[in-house]
Amino acid sequence: MKKIIFLFLSLIFTNSLALSPYIGKYELYADTKMGNLKIGTATLNLSVNDDQFIFTTDAKTESLWKALYDYSRSEKSTGNEVDGQVINNYFSVIEKIKDEIKKNYEINIATDKNYAISSTGEQWEIKPGLLVDPLSVYLALSNDMLKQPNQEEFTYQVVDQDGVKYLKFRLDGEENIEINGAEIKTSRVICDDLELTLNLSAENNFQPIKIHKVNGKTEFTMILIEFSG
């Protein structure tokens, strides 16, 4: 398993300014009344065709835990990489708790026309500069940290169901993460507005090794366990 982790870290992006396809599998943990429990799995899948990318996530609880916490979330982000920059054109998300749909929407982005439109019918103006979504912001952050290693804060124009807003991601020191006996040096990045903490591999193109997210009253943690690409 150590070899799998190191292979992930060395191959996930063979060119720091060019996206490379991969599938990363994570264990999904949640803070519950019974403590911090492994409740399911999550998968990040990046496919690339020339300069076009499709980035998806799929997180769900295992059948054993559905009676305690039945949760699922899937996301899809598409776009292009131009000169090392991530440019989005589409984002969608479906999130369920038990049988109740909490989120279900799509957003189409027309960067050249300075607007984004939601499947709910809402339309927002894009200010000058690039626009990303809550998923592709991971790709943009990784690229920017590679290009500007001494910068301590990154700001992105991010669109979701609530509209377009600026989000700040700030470096919060270094942290060693042990995964299956392999110690990995990471940079910890925090986005206060999203209640999100990322542990990104400092030596391997700043890809996510650990993701911690507060979602309402529940805290989720994703930890990398397997890679294929």
Side-chain angles (χ1 to χ4, degrees):
M1 183 59 69
K2 289 183 182 180
K3 291 183 179 179
I4 293 176
I5 296 299
F6 285 124
L7 182 64
F8 166 79
L9 295 174
S10 62
L11 294 182
I12 194 169
F13 273 34
T14 56
N15 182 333
S16 63
L17 296 180
L19 301 179
S20 295
Y22 73 89
I23 299 175
K25 295 185 178 181
Y26 296 74
E27 290 182 332
L28 176 64
Y29 294 82
D31 283 340
T32 71
K33 295 179 181 179
M34 298 171 61
N36 186 266
L37 302 175
K38 176 183 174 294
I39 63 168
T41 59
T43 301
L44 271 64
N45 187 340
L46 176 64
S47 60
V48 181
N49 183 10
D50 294 328
D51 65 345
Q52 297 180 332
F53 70 84
I54 300 175
F55 195 24
T56 63
T57 63
D58 182 26
K60 58 185 177 182
T61 51
E62 297 172 344
S63 57
L64 177 65
W65 295 104
K66 286 187 180 295
L68 175 66
Y69 193 81
D70 187 356
Y71 173 83
S72 66
R73 180 183 174 97
S74 60
E75 298 171 308
K76 181 178 181 180
S77 175
T78 69
N80 299 275
E81 183 192 25
V82 179
D83 297 328
Q85 292 183 317
V86 174
I87 300 177
N88 273 102
N89 55 36
Y90 174 84
F91 174 70
S92 66
V93 59
I94 299 176
E95 182 178 79
K96 297 180 181 179
I97 297 179
K98 293 186 178 180
D99 295 326
E100 183 180 356
I101 296 177
K102 293 294 185 179
K103 294 182 180 180
N104 183 10
Y105 65 90
E106 300 176 336
I107 294 177
N108 287 285
I109 302 167
T111 305
D112 57 336
K113 297 180 181 179
N114 297 316
Y115 75 85
I117 186 168
S118 171
S119 56
T120 62
E122 295 178 275
Q123 181 171 317
W124 304 286
E125 181 181 355
I126 301 171
K127 295 181 180 179
L130 297 179
L131 180 75
V132 293
D133 58 54
L135 179 56
S136 64
V137 70
Y138 292 177
L139 302 180
L141 178 63
S142 297
N143 276 353
D144 285 347
M145 289 181 68
L146 281 165
K147 292 184 293 184
Q148 304 170 70
N150 296 321
Q151 189 165 321
E152 296 185 353
E153 186 174 277
F154 299 88
T155 301
Y156 299 98
Q157 197 175 187
V158 181
V159 62
D160 63 10
Q161 66 177 350
D162 298 320
V164 179
K165 53 191 171 185
Y166 284 93
L167 298 179
K168 293 182 179 180
F169 291 76
R170 57 181 175 83
L171 270 66
D172 187 50
E174 297 180 348
E175 183 178 1
N176 290 333
I177 303 293
E178 185 174 321
I179 301 177
N180 298 310
E183 189 171 272
I184 301 169
K185 181 181 179 181
T186 71
S187 294
R188 189 170 55 251
V189 179
I190 295 175
C191 178
D192 294 315
D193 288 334
L194 294 179
E195 296 186 277
L196 171 71
T197 300
L198 303 171
N199 283 89
L200 308 177
S201 173
E203 297 179 356
N204 297 275
N205 299 327
F206 298 104
Q207 297 309 304
I209 304 301
K210 179 180 177 182
I211 301 171
H212 180 79
K213 179 75 171 68
V214 178
N215 188 7
K217 297 181 179 180
T218 306
E219 295 186 25
F220 292 100
T221 302
M222 292 167 49
I223 299 178
L224 177 72
I225 56 170
E226 186 178 339
F227 164 79
S228 62

